[in-house]
Amino acid sequence: MMLFQDMAQDPAAADVMSEEKTLSVIDLIFNGGTGSVLIISVLFIMLFVALYIYFERIFAIKAASKIDSNFMNQIRDYVTNGNLDAAKLLCAQTDSPVARLTEKGVSRIGKPLDDINTAIENAGTLEVYKLEKNVSILATVAGAAPMIGFLGTVIGMILAFHEMATSGGQAEMGSLASGIYTAMTTTVAGLIVGIIAYIGYNHLVNRTDKVVHKMEANAVDFLDLLNEPL
């Protein structure tokens, strides 16, 4: 009760206490010194790259997964009726990995089934490569960001111990705080960037696998169509 009375009597003391309890993210970054600012700047760039790749890939994968549910039925009708030109045209007008695989198979109708299967597999490999474009960078960021954060931790602790050594064990707390700030803030920043990149990478891998499974299912349907008796 006396504490609140003292604060009421001394507004300046209350303001100081309020300021001491408040620490913004900007203050946390810049109070760590030059080393902290540099390392967190690198981590910020890595975070921007990771987010850009994630959203660019997620939209690309979403577009690749879209296909008319009636697509294979139309292909079946065209192939069964011997209208291969119409089947090729439909594939060309449908912008999706499934359509491109089907077009590759339709263009080789009349050749041995093994040749058709090989052509579809080769085209599928190329489509998977397109879907996974730049995704490996996310994995790199997920692994490298915490390591860079830990590098900042080591640098910060070196600075703190160096200050203690050069001052003969009489270093001021304010001087040590800079090194400790660098150690703590870079560690937190590195872990945050690493976690975001790791989650984004695994989500993209999961979405890509779903598209690949859809491609494989449609490729099997097309090969079964060719094996059906006319």
Side-chain angles (χ1 to χ4, degrees), residues 147-165:
M147 295 177 67
I148 293 175
F150 292 144
L151 174 62
T153 300
V154 174
I155 292 174
M157 296 310 296
I158 289 174
L159 293 175
F161 283 113
H162 175 72
E163 184 66 27
M164 292 178 63

Side-chain angles (χ1 to χ4, degrees), residues 8-230:
Q9 295 174 359
D10 190 356
D15 292 340
V16 171
M17 183 174 294
S18 177
E19 290 178 0
E20 289 178 350
K21 291 182 178 181
T22 303
L23 183 63
S24 68
V25 176
I26 301 298
D27 293 335
L28 193 63
I29 293 173
F30 286 98
N31 285 345
T34 304
S36 176
V37 173
L38 289 176
I39 291 176
I40 292 181
S41 297
V42 172
L43 291 172
F44 179 79
I45 294 172
M46 294 175 70
L47 176 61
F48 175 79
V49 171
L51 291 176
Y52 173 80
I53 292 174
Y54 172 77
F55 286 108
E56 188 273 333
R57 284 293 86 199
I58 202 69
F59 288 129
I61 293 172
K62 185 177 180 180
S65 63
K66 288 183 178 179
I67 187 169
D68 187 1
S69 58
N70 199 39
F71 174 78
M72 287 306 299
N73 291 331
Q74 291 179 283
I75 293 295
R76 181 183 297 274
D77 292 339
Y78 289 143
V79 172
T80 301
N81 296 326
N83 193 356
L84 300 184
D85 290 336
K88 292 178 183 178
L89 180 61
L90 176 61
C91 292
Q93 292 175 343
T94 306
D95 184 18
S96 72
V98 170
R100 287 189 283 273
L101 294 186
T102 305
E103 183 179 15
K104 188 67 67 174
V106 171
S107 64
R108 281 165 173 70
I109 290 180
K111 294 183 179 181
L113 196 60
D114 288 341
D115 292 347
I116 298 176
N117 187 32
T118 300
I120 292 176
E121 288 181 353
N122 292 337
T125 301
L126 181 60
E127 292 298 330
V128 172
Y129 174 77
K130 292 178 181 178
L131 291 174
E132 294 178 344
K133 179 183 178 183
N134 294 329
V135 174
S136 60
I137 297 178
L138 274 182
T140 301
V141 172
M147 295 177 67
I148 293 175
F150 292 144
L151 174 62
T153 300
V154 174
I155 292 174
M157 296 310 296
I158 289 174
L159 293 175
F161 283 113
H162 175 72
E163 184 66 27
M164 292 178 63
T166 55
S167 63
Q170 301 297 322
E172 297 180 358
M173 290 303 297
S175 300
L176 295 177
S178 178
I180 297 174
Y181 263 124
T182 301
M184 297 299 102
T185 56
T186 56
T187 300
V188 172
L191 289 174
I192 290 174
V193 175
I195 290 170
I196 292 174
Y198 181 76
I199 293 174
Y201 171 78
N202 282 281
H203 185 234
L204 289 180
V205 168
N206 183 52
R207 292 292 298 270
T208 301
D209 286 343
K210 290 182 179 180
V211 177
V212 171
H213 292 156
K214 184 180 293 187
M215 291 164 54
E216 292 175 346
N218 281 272
V220 170
D221 289 343
F222 180 77
L223 293 174
D224 289 342
L225 169 62
L226 299 182
N227 283 323
E228 290 179 359
L230 299 176

Side-chain angles (χ1 to χ4, degrees), residues 1-11 13-14 17 21:
M1 192 69 177
M2 292 295 296
L3 175 62
F4 292 108
Q5 291 177 353
D6 292 341
M7 290 176 60
Q9 295 174 359
D10 190 356
M17 183 174 294
K21 291 182 178 181

